[in-house]
Amino acid sequence: MSATMSVQSSQNENDIDGTTGSRNHVDEPSRKRRKGSYANSSCNNNNSYDIQMSQEHCASCGILEWVTIENFMCHDHLKFSFPSASNINFVQGRNGSGKSALLSAVVVGLGGSSRTTNRGNSLKELVKYGKHTATIKIGIKNTGRDAFRYDLYGDTIIVERKIKSSGGGEYKLKSKNGALISTKKDDIHKMLDHFNLQVDNPITVLNQDCSRAFLNSTVSFECSKEFFVPFPFA
């Protein structure tokens, strides 16, 4: 998304073959070396800037805190938590364990269509077989000076999307304490625009089919089209 995070998974009913979880692939020495390189950076005009890589300088809003999905694709119930102290996350698991389903849930939960995920022709196809409703809940960090309507939402914005197997569904925007703020999809778009979260942009979310098409393309122009997003002129 707009910032990378570290994943810790807690699973209730669906264990994804017991292999999915989080793993930080950045060792401590590498992190220390990276901190030093930032701290010693300087400009050509002799104006030096000391940057301390601390939690205070991490993104304070617009990043995922947690994702919960129920009856979505292959998952009965699954929750992932993203600790704010880290900047990188890795989700690992065997083929078919549901890693891509988690990514699809984030895209759909934030207003994306089924075509964006390349997982079906309609959203109702994403409801788990035999279930009537799929629910996606996403917690988005909302602190700092760039917070979105902090007086209404507080430290966390909760986006909830329900999808019915018969077709249709609903959106809900809630505050940190669970109070219902809005049921309009337009308000979700306003929040996403504020945080510059573009779930339909392959630079933000690159699914397997899009990456495969990009890697198999031999023409530079065709590659650039995969990442070109037209600017909406007023």
Side-chain angles (χ1 to χ4, degrees):
M1 307 297 289
S2 63
T4 52
M5 300 149 290
S6 169
V7 174
Q8 286 183 343
S9 64
S10 61
Q11 305 170 2
N12 294 333
E13 299 177 9
N14 195 20
D15 189 15
I16 310 185
D17 295 342
T19 58
T20 301
S22 62
R23 180 175 298 176
N24 193 341
H25 288 261
V26 182
D27 57 8
E28 193 63 29
S30 299
R31 188 180 294 108
K32 290 180 179 179
R33 288 194 298 270
R34 183 175 59 191
K35 290 181 180 180
S37 62
Y38 279 115
N40 294 329
S41 62
S42 60
C43 299
N44 294 330
N45 57 3
N46 297 325
N47 292 328
S48 61
Y49 300 89
D50 293 331
I51 303 176
Q52 297 179 353
M53 298 297 292
S54 65
Q55 187 173 355
E56 295 179 357
H57 292 88
C58 294
S60 58
C61 62
I63 61 176
L64 300 185
E65 291 186 323
W66 50 265
V67 178
T68 301
I69 54 180
E70 297 178 0
N71 302 327
F72 183 84
M73 296 183 69
C74 62
H75 297 295
D76 288 321
H77 184 95
L78 177 68
K79 181 173 182 178
F80 267 73
S81 298
F82 304 84
S84 59
S86 301
N87 294 320
I88 301 175
N89 64 46
F90 294 90
V91 180
Q92 72 172 39
R94 298 176 181 174
N95 290 338
S97 60
K99 304 182 299 296
S100 297
L102 176 63
L103 183 61
S104 297
V106 173
V107 173
V108 172
L110 295 179
S113 64
S114 59
R115 293 182 179 180
T116 304
T117 65
N118 291 325
R119 292 291 173 173
N121 295 323
S122 64
L123 289 176
K124 63 182 181 181
E125 297 180 9
L126 303 180
V127 180
K128 187 173 184 180
Y129 180 77
K131 303 296 182 179
H132 299 292
T133 305
T135 303
I136 304 169
K137 297 180 181 179
I138 301 174
I140 301 176
K141 192 173 183 180
N142 190 47
T143 59
R145 62 182 182 180
D146 294 324
F148 177 73
R149 305 189 68 179
Y150 183 84
D151 56 325
L152 289 178
Y153 295 100
D155 292 341
T156 302
I157 299 175
I158 300 176
V159 182
E160 179 179 328
R161 185 174 190 181
K162 289 189 176 182
I163 306 169
K164 298 179 181 180
S165 60
S166 58
E170 61 182 10
Y171 289 94
K172 290 182 180 179
L173 276 174
K174 298 180 179 180
S175 65
K176 181 179 181 179
N177 58 14
L180 180 62
I181 304 299
S182 175
T183 58
K184 298 179 180 179
K185 185 178 180 179
D186 185 59
D187 289 334
I188 294 181
H189 287 316
K190 291 179 181 178
M191 181 266 295
L192 295 177
D193 289 342
H194 178 83
F195 292 139
N196 195 25
L197 297 177
Q198 304 173 15
V199 295
D200 56 349
N201 188 333
I203 295 180
T204 303
V205 179
L206 184 64
N207 58 48
Q208 294 177 353
D209 295 329
C210 185
S211 62
R212 188 180 300 112
F214 176 78
L215 292 175
N216 290 336
S217 178
T218 58
V219 182
S220 59
F221 175 73
E222 293 295 329
C223 292
S224 64
K225 285 199 306 183
E226 294 289 340
F227 294 90
F228 176 73
V229 178
F231 184 83
F233 292 97

